Amino acid sequence: MKNLPDSFGSLRTRRELGIPQTLARSQAVQRSWPFFLDLVVACIGLAIFYGVVQIARLWLGQPQPNVVLSLSPHALPRYAFYSIVRMGLAYILSLIFAVGYGYIAAYSRRLEALMIAALDILQSIPVLSFLPGVMLAMVALFRTRQLGLELGCIILIFTGQVWNMAFSFYSSLKSLPRELTEASAIYGFSRWQRLLQLELPYAAIGLIWNSMVSVAGGWFFLMACEMFVLGSRDFRLPGLGSYLQTAASEGNTTAILWGLLTMILIIVATDQLLWRPVIAWSDRFKFEQVESSRRVRSPLLSMLQQSNFVRRLGHLTLEPLTERLYRREAKRRSTHPQYDEAGRRAPSTVVRTVAIAAIFVMVGYAAIRALHLLRGIDQHEVLQIFGGAGMTLMRVVIALLLATLWTVPAGVAIGFHPRLARIAQPLAQIAASVPATALFPVLLLLLLKSGAGMGTGAVLLMLLGTQWYILFNVIAGAMAIPNDLKEVARLFHFGTVQRWRTVILPGIFPYLLTGLITASGGAWNASIIAEYFRLKSNTLTTFGLGEQISAATDAGRFAVLLLATIVMALMVVTINRLVWRPLFRIAESKYKLGA
């Protein structure tokens, strides 16, 4: 027995002690698993560092005019990487802006009406209307660097993503339950504590789902942002959007399929690596008294929570920062009893007067320049613009009605059933993110052969681009309905109609309204592509306001572009004031949780 191997002896010892071999193996795996996770996190960090270096080399290099895009599949990984970086930076910028803008609009009585009106106008302005000013300004600012074109593209993507996120955060702040607000006041929360511990957690579900649809909207307009014509100048950047745009213009079906396959792979990876863990994490912020037995799960989130590196990073960075912030706020309140009152006091009269005067001067100067530019438009063009606005309005209404008919029941079903959400949510994310403009050539050819015409195609493209705003908001609303309300409906044996009338529709109404408002603005925005489309060497158009904006951009007719943009903004703001704003007041007062 003395010559037997040590492993046999250790095995005999484990058996003598009553420890099964499988249990010992599982314990060894549990000890090595955190190390493996740390190794994976380190590799991800190195990959991010390498990507930052490559992007810095490209952006800080010389401008690359007349870029020749390759339609070879071998170029797709590099193009996809460039597009992912632009989309990611635009999303980070959108998130910061949305939280700041929504917070100020929700808590500033003097600025609220003005900021919401500005938000209505900004979300109605098409990407192509931002394009001339943004791109020419960035190129002029960075004449000797590629950074100018890249920043211009990122800002254009930002204008297609940010508005519904800002409106979602604003809506969540306005619908905060009264008991939570009173509890934060009783415990003396400072503004930072209230933002970090109450407002951001409460708005997390709606903000995350609107982030998903915003990123999907960014993919939708990526083709227009990475490759566009401005008068006689042709701006293009290497990326997945410009690849698909080139393939669609040349009618290269093989290249379109390769590009769509790459985009679908990116979307699936984004869903599993980003959105699924974030959704599972945000489920803890659901406002309910009865905990649901069915929770959203994410294997990646569980892995990250078990990583020693992630835990130490949180202990060394986030926890000390928040603890220091809270201690400083508590000390200021203890030494200055009137801290809260002084902190909420409005700015001084001098500062407010100077700020208002500066705004009036800038607005007045811009108005004078705009009027000078509009002097060159004749009466016939004005009548054409207003007639086109009426036609586009009709298409927008049809697209919203068709989208609402299927997204409300589908969104409620996905939000109520986590198992269904695990399957349907990635599929919806893929469908929402695939640019309809890449599929539109095939759909348009089928419609033209069937005799439907470009007008029907425009409604279809608006529907494909905007229905996801409603769907994702309805899903967020259904997920945010407290589980105790569902339990009450089940205990009292509510029928289907009664459940929809007393629980589901009131619960999702604020989210549905947010989705309809953003979808309406998105439909107007999508008209610039839906009503004016290039197919090979032909340009297919249908009469409308979007068609006139796109044609004016291509021709460099800034006066027509400005007037058409103003008319579109006025149409959207008028609809918001007459339809959406009264409904939003009802949602804020009648269907507010805890009111």
Side-chain angles (χ1 to χ4, degrees):
M1 294 293 294
K2 293 182 180 180
N3 296 327
L4 291 176
D6 292 338
S7 60
F8 183 81
S10 61
L11 177 61
R12 186 185 65 178
T13 303
R14 287 197 299 268
R15 286 178 177 173
E16 291 174 353
L17 294 175
I19 302 176
Q21 186 176 5
T22 55
L23 179 59
R25 289 177 179 176
S26 65
Q27 291 175 347
V29 170
Q30 289 178 358
R31 286 193 298 269
S32 60
W33 183 244
F35 173 77
F36 173 74
L37 294 178
D38 294 341
L39 185 62
V40 171
V41 172
C43 292
I44 293 174
L46 290 175
I48 293 174
F49 177 77
Y50 176 76
V52 170
V53 171
Q54 294 300 317
I55 288 296
R57 287 180 178 176
L58 173 66
W59 289 12
L60 297 179
Q62 297 296 322
Q64 301 177 6
N66 302 323
V67 175
V68 179
L69 293 169
S70 172
L71 295 183
S72 170
H74 299 289
L76 276 173
R78 178 164 54 93
Y79 292 164
F81 172 69
Y82 294 153
S83 296
I84 289 172
V85 171
R86 296 178 191 121
M87 292 285 294
L89 292 176
Y91 172 72
I92 293 173
L93 184 63
S94 300
L95 183 62
I96 296 172
F97 179 90
V99 172
Y101 195 94
Y103 186 89
I104 296 173
Y107 290 117
S108 176
R109 294 182 179 179
R110 293 183 177 89
L111 298 177
E112 181 178 7
L114 179 62
M115 294 183 70
I116 296 303
L119 191 62
D120 292 338
I121 295 172
L122 289 171
Q123 75 169 348
S124 66
I125 297 178
V127 170
L128 291 183
S129 297
F130 287 107
L131 190 150
V134 169
M135 195 55 65
L136 293 178
M138 289 297 103
V139 172
L141 191 60
F142 301 94
R143 292 180 179 274
T144 61
R145 293 288 183 267
Q146 179 72 8
L147 183 63
L149 277 176
E150 296 289 348
L151 288 179
C153 180
I154 290 171
I155 294 174
L156 289 177
I157 298 173
F158 162 83
T159 61
Q161 289 184 344
V162 66
W163 316 121
N164 66 299
M165 294 172 59
F167 199 87
S168 170
F169 189 68
Y170 165 79
S171 302
S172 297
L173 294 184
K174 298 298 289 186
S175 60
L176 273 171
R178 185 180 302 166
E179 55 264 36
L180 295 184
T181 305
E182 292 175 350
S184 65
I186 291 172
Y187 283 99
F189 278 17
S190 67
R191 287 187 176 183
W192 279 107
Q193 283 178 295
R194 178 168 166 164
L195 176 65
L196 296 177
Q197 297 186 356
L198 173 60
E199 292 159 348
L200 282 175
Y202 183 79
I205 295 177
L207 193 57
I208 289 170
W209 284 93
N210 273 280
S211 296
M212 294 169 64
V213 75
S214 291
V215 173
W219 286 112
F220 182 86
F221 286 106
L222 186 66
M223 294 169 64
C225 294
E226 288 186 345
M227 184 175 178
F228 49 87
V229 177
L230 184 59
S232 59
R233 304 180 66 176
D234 186 359
F235 295 95
R236 62 180 67 197
L237 291 168
L240 191 55
S242 55
Y243 179 94
L244 287 169
Q245 177 82 329
T246 304
S249 300
E250 297 182 4
N252 191 332
T253 307
T254 303
I256 291 175
L257 292 177
W258 276 112
L260 289 177
L261 178 61
T262 304
M263 184 172 288
I264 290 172
L265 291 176
I266 293 172
I267 295 164
V268 172
T270 304
D271 175 76
Q272 295 300 315
L273 299 178
L274 177 62
W275 298 127
R276 178 57 50 181
V278 171
I279 290 173
W281 169 78
S282 69
D283 199 49
R284 67 173 70 182
F285 304 126
K286 196 172 181 180
F287 179 65
E288 58 185 8
Q289 280 77 40
V290 179
E291 185 177 3
S292 174
S293 59
R294 297 180 295 180
R295 290 292 185 187
V296 182
R297 307 283 181 188
S298 171
L300 179 60
L301 180 63
S302 302
M303 290 172 56
L304 292 176
Q305 290 173 340
Q306 296 177 24
S307 171
N308 291 328
F309 177 79
V310 174
R311 286 202 201 104
R312 289 173 183 173
L313 184 65
H315 291 320
L316 294 176
T317 57
L318 296 179
E319 290 184 6
L321 286 175
T322 54
E323 190 68 26
R324 188 181 306 171
L325 176 65
Y326 294 156
R327 285 180 179 177
R328 188 183 68 179
E329 297 292 339
K331 184 178 179 180
R332 291 179 66 177
R333 288 197 302 273
S334 62
T335 56
H336 302 282
Q338 304 300 323
Y339 167 72
D340 287 335
E341 183 180 352
R344 297 178 184 274
R345 198 172 295 161
S348 65
T349 306
V350 176
V351 175
R352 189 167 63 248
T353 303
V354 171
I356 294 174
I359 293 174
F360 271 108
V361 169
M362 290 187 292
V363 171
Y365 177 76
I368 293 173
R369 297 290 299 175
L371 290 175
H372 179 73
L373 185 63
L374 293 176
R375 291 173 59 186
I377 301 179
D378 57 36
Q379 185 178 0
H380 176 70
E381 289 176 327
V382 174
L383 294 176
Q384 288 284 334
I385 288 174
F386 279 97
M391 293 298 297
T392 303
L393 173 61
M394 181 185 67
R395 297 187 184 107
V396 168
V397 172
I398 294 174
L400 289 179
L401 289 176
L402 293 176
T404 306
L405 287 177
W406 81 268
T407 54
V408 171
V412 170
I414 294 172
F416 273 26
H417 302 90
R419 291 184 180 179
L420 177 62
R422 281 196 292 269
I423 301 173
Q425 183 261 320
L427 296 178
Q429 180 70 15
I430 293 171
S433 302
V434 173
T437 46
L439 300 174
F440 197 50
V442 179
L443 298 176
L444 189 57
L445 290 175
L446 294 176
L447 289 172
L448 293 177
K449 288 182 180 180
S450 63
M454 186 65 182
T456 305
V459 174
L460 178 61
L461 187 57
M462 287 181 184
L463 179 65
L464 292 175
T466 60
Q467 59 191 347
W468 312 111
Y469 291 97
I470 306 175
L471 177 65
F472 281 72
N473 274 280
V474 171
I475 294 175
M479 294 182 67
I481 294 177
N483 193 60
D484 42 346
L485 295 182
K486 302 176 187 177
E487 291 293 327
V488 168
R490 185 180 63 82
L491 291 174
F492 283 92
H493 304 288
F494 282 8
T496 303
V497 175
Q498 192 174 10
R499 277 178 66 233
W500 275 87
R501 185 169 56 86
T502 59
V503 178
I504 298 176
L505 287 178
I508 68 171
F509 185 73
Y511 295 86
L512 174 61
L513 190 57
T514 301
L516 286 171
I517 294 173
T518 53
S520 174
W524 284 97
N525 209 332
S527 66
I528 61 175
I529 299 175
E531 297 174 349
Y532 187 94
F533 196 84
R534 293 188 185 90
L535 185 62
K536 294 185 179 180
S537 58
N538 299 321
T539 300
L540 304 176
T541 64
T542 183
F543 181 60
L545 194 57
E547 173 258 336
Q548 293 169 1
I549 290 176
S550 298
T553 303
D554 279 357
R557 301 190 62 192
F558 298 128
V560 176
L561 175 63
L562 177 60
L563 181 59
T565 302
I566 292 173
V567 171
M568 182 175 287
L570 289 176
M571 293 282 289
V572 174
V573 170
T574 302
I575 294 171
N576 286 345
R577 288 293 174 267
L578 297 179
V579 180
W580 304 126
R581 192 57 54 200
L583 292 176
F584 184 77
R585 283 196 291 267
I586 294 174
E588 183 182 345
S589 58
K590 189 175 180 179
Y591 300 114
K592 180 178 178 180
L593 286 175

